């Protein structure tokens, strides 16, 4: 994706809307992309997928996570090994070492996302305590679907408001509680067929923006065409005014979900699992694929996974002026939200003059 640099439009931005102005606090980019993430190094004991999420060293050695010639981060499923019956296929799950507080925004710009039968990738965030600290799913798809789905997962009492200001009319479920509907979450689908899968790659990828604000959580999707991406996000935006992004694709206002009550600082996560509770669910699987998820795909031809990779240009995180945005390292598990600041080992206060 080649995008014109429009520095003037960045410089001319006036903070017209209070609390909508964010400045960059962290970026994951180029040869240092993987430096500040933890590799899971365990089998998928979270969603029952048929993968082993490799260590950092295995990921490097087997080129399952690396920087390609274009300078982009690749995370992928092993597509060279014939997996024995009963075994797991190697894949990648990484989460940021830092956590980001309410009052932050993150952008990921991707040119390819993993897809294919049995494949279940996501770019999302989670608190140390789950579900009490909340989960925000920015990007998720399974098998051969064509549209991205977005969701929140929380403790009881958070719902998607009928008054949400969003462009998507595809609201799949409204109760965000992990205890409701088999932990489906409150799901909104991105209503464009190039927001996932082969269509996403064919269009040159796209950009997802997630705003984690006390007034609500919003997600924007922009395809890679120049007309789609707001000028403020073209080039290397050092600040973002959400009022310049237009109406979000999905929005969960605090009126039906008090963000500060249901969400704690979030770590960002990329993962690719196979089959498991969602992609491998019989009804879901048969909607876009044939055969048996594990038998015919995971232990089938390794080339089933030639498209099971993320290619990420960057991830950038932004914070609000004067707010505590980045919590370095993993905060210890929190018994009570009020204990948060006492338990944080180190914290970085971000003060930007607008
Ligand atoms: C999953 O495995 C990791 C690493 O061994 C462990 O720390 C974690 O507690 C396990 N989680 C579950 C839900 O079993
Ligand atoms: C959500 O709704 C859309 C539109 O009806 C549908 O295409 C999609 O499959 C649904 N997603 C889920 C996870 O049910
Ligand atoms: C990309 O987004 C633009 C602006 O929203 C839209 O006009 C165009 O149809 C989209 N392209 C594709 C392939 O969806
Ligand atoms: C953005 O920043 C990166 C790293 O600092 C640099 O390599 C790249 O050329 C910049 N891109 C633009 C469009 O300025
Ligand atoms: C969600 O918002 C609607 C409209 O404001 C309101 O009628 C409803 O009671 C709210 N539901 C919850 C669970 O807060
Ligand atoms: C594995 O997939 C990559 C693309 O992710 C492709 O370039 C490569 O040729 C594939 N390897 C094999 C052995 O098919």
């Amino acid at each position: 994706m080649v995008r014109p640099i429009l520095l003037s439009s960045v410089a001319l931005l006036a903070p017209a809307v209070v609390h909508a102005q964010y400045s960059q606090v962290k970026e994951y980019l180029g040869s240092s992309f993987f430096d500040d993430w933890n590799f899971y190094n365990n089998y998928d004991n979270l969603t029952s997928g048929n993968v082993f999420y490799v260590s950092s060293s295995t990921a490097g050695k087997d080129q399952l996570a690396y920087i390609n010639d274009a300078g982009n981060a690749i995370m992928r499923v092993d597509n060279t090994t014939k997996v024995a019956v009963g075994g797991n296929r190697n894949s990648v799950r990484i989460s940021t070492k830092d956590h980001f507080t309410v009052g932050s925004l993150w952008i990921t710009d991707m040119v390819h996302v993993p897809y294919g039968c049995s494949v279940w990738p996501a770019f999302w965030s989670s608190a140390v305590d789950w579900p009490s600290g909340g989960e925000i799913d920015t990007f998720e798809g399974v098998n051969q679907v064509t549209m991205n789905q977005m969701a929140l997962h929380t403790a009881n009492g958070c719902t998607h408001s009928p008054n949400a200001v969003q462009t998507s009319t595809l609201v799949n479920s409204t109760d965000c509680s992990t205890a409701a509907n088999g932990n489906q979450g409150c799901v909104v689908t991105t209503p464009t067929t190039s927001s996932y899968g082969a269509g996403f790659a064919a269009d040159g990828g796209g950009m997802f923006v997630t705003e984690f604000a006390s007034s609500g959580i919003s997600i924007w999707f922009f395809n890679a065409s120049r007309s789609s991406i707001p000028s403020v996000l073209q080039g290397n935006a050092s600040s973002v005014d959400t009022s310049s992004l237009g109406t979000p694709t999905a929005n969960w206002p605090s009126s039906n979900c008090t963000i500060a009550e249901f969400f704690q600082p979030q770590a960002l996560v990329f993962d690719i699992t196979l089959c498991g509770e969602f992609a491998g669910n019989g009804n879901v699987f048969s909607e876009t694929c044939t055969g048996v998820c594990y038998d015919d795909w995971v232990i089938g031809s390794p080339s089933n996974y030639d498209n099971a990779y993320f290619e990420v240009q960057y991830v950038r995180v932004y914070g609000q002026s004067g707010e505590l945005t980045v919590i370095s390292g993993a905060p210890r598990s929190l018994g009570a939200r009020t204990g948060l600041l006492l338990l944080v080992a180190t914290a970085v206060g971000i003060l930007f003059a607008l």
Side-chain angles (χ1 to χ4, degrees), residues 181-347:
N181 308 317
N183 185 25
Q184 187 183 5
C186 42
V187 178
V188 177
T189 295
T190 307
T192 136
T193 53
S194 56
S195 56
Y196 182 67
F200 182 90
D203 275 5
M207 196 183 274
F208 293 92
V209 180
T210 306
E211 184 186 24
F212 175 36
S214 56
S215 57
I217 291 170
S218 299
I219 298 173
W220 287 259
F221 170 67
F222 303 107
N223 70 34
S225 77
R226 289 177 198 196
S227 59
S228 159
I229 297 178
S231 56
V232 66
L233 298 183
Q234 300 190 16
N236 289 326
S238 60
S239 66
V240 176
D241 184 336
T242 50
S243 66
S244 68
L245 302 182
T247 304
T249 314
N251 168 242
W252 294 264
S254 60
S255 58
N256 273 68
C257 179
T258 311
I259 303 303
E261 181 187 339
F262 289 98
F263 289 87
Q264 292 167 4
Q266 302 279 302
L268 311 185
V269 182
F270 281 97
D271 72 65
I272 317 169
T273 193
L274 303 176
C275 304
E277 290 159 10
F278 189 10
N281 172 291
N283 294 331
V284 172
F285 186 74
S286 61
E287 277 171 23
T288 56
C289 291
T290 56
V292 176
C293 196
Y294 180 77
D295 297 3
D296 295 318
W297 298 90
V298 179
I299 59 174
S301 169
S303 66
N304 288 338
Y305 298 100
D306 286 357
N307 279 307
Y309 67 95
F310 280 106
E311 180 172 356
V312 182
Q313 304 216 86
Y314 63 77
V315 174
R316 291 197 171 102
V317 184
Y318 299 76
Q320 288 181 347
S321 176
E323 297 292 319
L324 173 79
T325 301
V326 184
I327 297 179
S328 302
R332 271 177 278 161
S333 188
L334 309 171
R337 288 182 186 92
T338 49
L340 172 62
L341 292 176
L342 298 174
L343 289 168
V344 169
T346 49

Side-chain angles (χ1 to χ4, degrees), residues 159 162-163 256:
T159 59
N163 301 326
N256 273 68

Side-chain angles (χ1 to χ4, degrees), residues 20 26 65 87 110 147 232 239 352:
K26 182 84 191 172
M110 305 191 276
M147 295 186 285
V232 66
S239 66
F352 285 92

Side-chain angles (χ1 to χ4, degrees), residues 40-46:
Y40 199 66
N41 192 25
N42 200 71
Y43 72 93
D44 177 4
N45 59 358
L46 303 170

